[in-house]
Amino acid sequence: MSTTSRWWHQPFRTHQTNLREIDAGLDVEQVLDHIQDIGADTWLLNTAGIVSFYPSRLAFQHPSPWLAERSSGDLIGDAVEAAHARGVRVLSRVDFSKVHADLAEQHPDWCFVSATGERQIYNGLWSTCPSAPYYQERSEEILGEILDTYPVDGFFFNWFNFSQRDYTGRNHGPCHCAHCQRRFDERYGRPLPTRADWDDPAYVKWLEYTRETLGDLAGRVRKLITGKNPDAALILAHDPDIAFYEANNAVDRPQPLWIYGTGEFLRTSRTAAPNKPVWVNSVMFIDMPYRFVPEQEGHLGLYFAQTIAHGGNPSAYLVGTPDRLPATSFDIVRDVFCFHRDNARFYTDVRSAAEVGVVSSVRSGERYGGPSGVDKVRGELRGVYRALVESHVPFDIVPDHLLVMDALDSTLRRYKALVLPNVAVLSDDQAKVLDRYVETGGGLVATYDTGGFDAAGALRPGIALRSLGAATVIDRREAPGAMRSAYLRVTDPGDLPGATEGDLVLLDRAYLYVEPRPDAVCSFGLVPPSRYGPPEKCYWDVETDHPGLLWHRHGSGRTAYIPWPIGGLYDDLGRPEHRDILVHALDEVGGGRQLSTDAPAHVEIVVSTQDDPHRTLVHLINYSGQRGRAFGPPLPIHDIQVELPGVATVAAATSLRRGMPLETSRTAAGAVTFTLPHLDLFDLVVLDHG
């Protein structure tokens, strides 16, 4: 991340007080005392939209009646003046997703309409539509009033989307307001979809339309803000100055919890836009219906540790004022925020040093197989993600839109190997880029349906990637239960560390029968679904040579193709043999590990670099405190050895959490090694190269 004069290109820490209208009379100095005590330097508070916390002159704003408790009648004016006097920045939270009933009745075309003509109303507020004038026009008037009145340091837009779901979780489907109908017809020449149906091409187009509409609006908002105050940042998911992610929990969220969500977003965002800072807003309560019950400290700690390890800027979010949560809820916030503040020089101008890229594909999720396609793509990515984290393989996530014709120089060259976890949908140009990457020396691991569908989501006659060891899928078995009780027989023990010839690997869910290329090397043999009851009949009559892994050389590079959902199975079942097959394949095509360690699988290791001064930064995160939905203190881990083969001479090594120097040595092969004597939640080991 290059340094600029803008404040948001330096590390920062935010505390969000998501105010209720009854909080308009809060004690500004008391809140600022709290913000500075926990190590934050930026305050995000509600300003406008559903309720305004200043005396707006606009007829379509609703100032809080509790502003009358202030002598000034103006919370935002008081907050900005007091915060800036202390060197604390102020971000304005705005929410244009809902309006009061009086405005809705006057301007019904501002509001959401379902396919059946139903409005979306919750607690007396009507959901608005981003296609309509309130978002498209009035939002700019509100922002202009704020910018003309207060020297705020930035804006955060809440619920900046097309609200298909309300607070109860009810799905109202796509909006059918007059503006959506007209704009969608102009764009696509077809009627709007009536419901969220992934098998309906119109719904996929609707998702595209929502992204384009929000992206266009965000661009205009950003231009407005920059024109009036170049030193004010826009925090948003679409065309922002600062990319946004919310780390949260939910009481109905299915098990197992995806605990790596924060790191996943940061790995993706920092690769897609390396010069754009990322802000992670971590929710301090357990769920929207329970906003005043604090989240577990161990869960918050993992949010924060992932955020700073991957180069993000942490934020802690509560509803109301800080006294709404117990004082102890802020212990973990204070611990991590103060560490981040005191060590800011190690979080400035940092970039990932990962030598592996994992390709993610939103387009595959949307255009491949309907709702089941979304699950198959997400499950495969998550299984690969878990396998690499638990095997201590540093990696980035590469969004598939970066796979364009110039990607060899701009993105892919930095990686020794790529993993394509069921990247089913690939355009011809993307396939050419990947083949060229392998041809010029890169390694590639692909799983399941990768390259089997074209850019529109249509099944290809063959596999798009010439670099893989299979040219064609000759048959597929993927109906429910179709591969239940099937196995892969180990034919080369070298492809599954610790196995012997004839050992069996569980295979379930799906399998692609492929035609190997003439020069491919096949490994593992399919044992088709066999009898599994009663015990007297539990044996099989058929073993085949259909492969579970195909090695292939293409130019100067090498690929491994796994024609079954190895990642999805690992995500669901956690079988170590699935992880080991995958990671071994990656080691082979990529030429070996970036690091080795004796740390247990529940320790994540992130490697980053700084150029000036030249440093290698090694973050370690300890997930051992997680037990399903329960999060306790992590178990301390002692004497973790880390070996880094590709690191230059080390002049000094320091554990910042322990505040102590570490001894380093070099192996006979030239790798740098160090031992971390103690790990609690996280640590940052700094290797100065002198």
Side-chain angles (χ1 to χ4, degrees):
M1 183 170 68
S2 61
T3 302
T4 75
S5 60
R6 302 291 185 239
W7 65 262
W8 54 88
H9 284 281
Q10 301 299 317
F12 64 95
R13 296 151 302 282
T14 305
H15 189 32
Q16 178 184 179
T17 54
N18 193 345
L19 301 180
R20 306 163 297 172
E21 59 184 353
I22 61 175
D23 296 318
L26 64 81
D27 186 328
V28 165
E29 298 294 346
Q30 188 176 66
V31 173
L32 285 167
D33 286 343
H34 168 79
I35 286 171
Q36 293 188 302
D37 173 65
I38 63 173
D41 57 12
T42 305
W43 182 11
L44 171 61
L45 78 163
N46 305 55
T47 302
I50 297 174
V51 174
S52 68
F53 288 82
Y54 68 96
S56 175
R57 298 179 298 276
L58 299 172
F60 45 86
Q61 283 288 273
H62 277 73
S64 167
W66 283 266
L67 286 171
E69 296 179 359
R70 312 193 69 81
S71 59
S72 68
D74 185 351
L75 172 58
I76 304 307
D78 294 344
V80 171
E81 181 180 4
H84 284 181
R86 296 183 182 220
V88 173
R89 288 176 288 269
V90 175
L91 303 176
S92 286
R93 179 188 183 275
V94 295
D95 190 333
F96 303 123
S97 69
K98 297 168 183 65
V99 292
H100 290 75
D102 61 334
L103 288 175
E105 295 291 358
Q106 293 176 52
H107 306 281
D109 67 310
W110 288 4
C111 299
F112 172 94
V113 183
S114 74
T116 59
E118 184 180 5
R119 302 293 182 170
Q120 191 181 128
I121 304 173
Y122 189 85
N123 279 353
L125 297 172
W126 297 45
S127 291
T128 57
C129 176
S131 297
Y134 184 63
Y135 258 105
Q136 291 287 326
E137 300 166 15
R138 299 295 180 261
S139 67
E140 294 193 27
E141 294 182 45
I142 296 169
L143 295 173
E145 181 180 58
I146 297 168
L147 286 161
D148 290 340
T149 310
Y150 309 105
V152 296
D153 299 285
F155 288 88
F156 167 67
F157 280 50
N158 186 60
W159 213 304
F160 186 76
N161 57 36
F162 284 77
S163 300
Q164 295 189 63
R165 293 182 182 275
D166 61 24
Y167 277 107
T168 67
R170 179 187 172 193
N171 193 328
H172 296 259
C175 181
H176 278 63
C177 74
H179 305 285
C180 278
Q181 291 188 51
R182 174 181 55 81
R183 291 161 64 101
F184 192 78
D185 180 67
E186 291 173 352
R187 176 71 174 82
Y188 298 106
R190 64 195 309 169
L192 287 160
T194 59
R195 59 192 177 92
D197 180 1
W198 289 89
D199 292 324
D200 181 359
Y203 181 67
V204 176
K205 292 294 186 185
W206 163 254
L207 295 175
E208 184 178 288
Y209 167 78
T210 64
R211 286 194 294 267
E212 290 180 354
T213 301
L214 294 172
D216 173 73
L217 179 58
R220 289 191 284 113
V221 165
R222 190 177 184 211
K223 183 178 180 180
L224 169 70
I225 293 171
T226 302
K228 286 183 174 289
N229 182 358
D231 295 321
L234 174 62
I235 301 174
L236 205 59
H238 304 267
D239 193 28
D241 296 303
I242 304 169
F244 159 69
Y245 178 77
E246 182 174 287
N248 58 38
N249 196 0
V251 293
D252 293 326
R253 190 158 294 168
Q255 290 271 42
L257 289 179
W258 179 240
I259 192 59
Y260 299 117
T262 301
E264 179 184 358
F265 181 86
L266 282 156
R267 291 180 198 264
T268 305
S269 183
R270 295 297 303 281
T271 305
N275 295 322
K276 195 178 294 293
V278 182
W279 180 74
V280 177
N281 200 24
S282 298
V283 179
M284 295 187 66
F285 50 85
I286 62 171
D287 197 0
M288 287 191 293
Y290 301 101
R291 294 186 188 265
F292 304 108
V293 175
E295 180 57 275
Q296 298 171 82
E297 182 175 327
H299 203 168
L300 286 172
L302 290 175
Y303 291 157
F304 295 141
Q306 289 179 65
T307 297
I308 66 174
H310 291 286
N313 298 283
S315 175
Y317 157 37
L318 57 80
V319 167
T321 51
D323 58 347
R324 302 308 306 172
L325 292 179
T328 54
S329 301
F330 296 96
D331 290 346
I332 187 63
V333 182
R334 184 180 296 103
D335 179 27
V336 181
F337 278 30
C338 289
F339 177 85
H340 189 255
R341 177 197 65 195
D342 297 342
N343 295 285
R345 65 190 184 280
F346 302 113
Y347 293 99
T348 305
D349 295 331
V350 174
R351 68 178 188 277
S352 170
E355 295 177 354
V356 170
V358 177
V359 178
S360 67
S361 177
V362 171
R363 185 160 55 176
S364 291
E366 290 182 352
R367 303 186 182 183
Y368 154 72
S372 63
V374 176
D375 294 338
K376 288 191 289 188
V377 171
R378 180 175 55 210
E380 196 72 8
L381 174 62
R382 288 185 172 183
V384 168
Y385 194 111
R386 279 188 55 202
L388 299 190
V389 167
E390 294 173 3
S391 302
H392 311 111
V393 177
F395 65 98
D396 296 333
I397 295 182
V398 181
D400 64 345
H401 71 261
L402 297 182
L403 301 180
V404 293
M405 295 310 291
D406 63 346
L408 283 176
D409 295 321
S410 63
T411 303
L412 302 188
R413 280 284 178 229
R414 76 186 75 160
Y415 302 116
K416 291 184 177 179
L418 298 174
V419 184
L420 277 69
N422 198 23
V423 181
V425 174
L426 283 174
S427 70
D428 292 342
D429 285 345
Q430 289 175 323
K432 288 176 183 176
V433 166
L434 291 166
D435 283 336
R436 178 64 177 161
Y437 166 77
V438 178
E439 186 178 7
T440 55
L444 188 148
V445 176
T447 75
Y448 196 15
D449 256 326
T450 291
F453 296 75
D454 66 18
L459 185 66
R460 289 179 177 273
I463 296 173
L465 296 172
R466 295 183 297 108
S467 55
L468 295 186
T472 306
V473 175
I474 56 178
D475 194 16
R476 59 176 59 231
R477 295 175 73 167
E478 55 184 355
M483 295 305 294
R484 184 57 49 91
S485 76
Y487 303 92
L488 291 168
R489 187 182 71 259
V490 175
T491 57
D492 182 349
D495 291 335
L496 177 55
T500 58
E501 188 171 348
D503 285 353
L504 298 176
V505 175
L506 178 153
L507 177 60
D508 197 15
R509 236 182 252 164
Y511 176 80
L512 303 183
Y513 293 82
V514 298
E515 180 180 338
R517 297 185 188 275
D519 52 349
V521 176
C522 297
S523 186
F524 298 98
L526 174 67
V527 178
S530 58
R531 297 179 292 269
Y532 53 91
E536 293 84 352
K537 292 290 187 178
C538 289
Y539 56 90
W540 54 86
D541 305 301
V542 178
E543 294 184 357
T544 77
D545 294 325
H546 292 295
L549 170 65
L550 298 94
W551 301 103
H552 189 237
R553 291 200 174 275
H554 182 73
S556 301
R558 193 180 183 198
T559 67
Y561 176 44
I562 301 169
W564 46 283
I566 188 171
L569 288 175
Y570 186 62
D571 185 44
D572 283 347
L573 303 179
R575 296 295 306 175
E577 59 268 27
H578 295 154
R579 177 194 63 207
D580 294 346
I581 291 170
L582 180 68
V583 175
H584 169 74
L586 183 59
D587 288 343
E588 288 295 303
V589 302
R593 296 283 181 95
Q594 183 174 356
L595 68 85
S596 59
T597 180
D598 61 358
H602 52 257
V603 173
E604 178 179 3
I605 300 180
V606 182
V607 182
S608 308
T609 61
Q610 285 179 306
D611 288 334
D612 187 18
H614 185 30
R615 299 184 179 113
T616 296
L617 307 171
V618 183
H619 276 90
L620 298 94
I621 305 173
N622 182 356
Y623 291 83
S624 66
Q626 182 192 9
R627 303 181 308 281
R629 299 189 76 98
F631 292 81
L635 299 172
I637 304 172
H638 300 280
D639 298 325
I640 298 174
Q641 297 182 27
V642 178
E643 183 176 307
L644 296 158
V647 172
T649 301
V650 175
T654 308
S655 160
L656 295 187
R657 289 290 278 179
R658 308 300 296 173
M660 61 181 291
L662 303 178
E663 291 187 6
T664 63
S665 61
R666 282 204 175 269
T667 66
V672 169
T673 66
F674 66 83
T675 299
L676 182 65
H678 186 99
L679 178 67
D680 289 316
L681 173 60
F682 75 97
D683 203 344
L684 170 55
V685 175
V686 177
L687 304 177
D688 282 300
H689 299 298

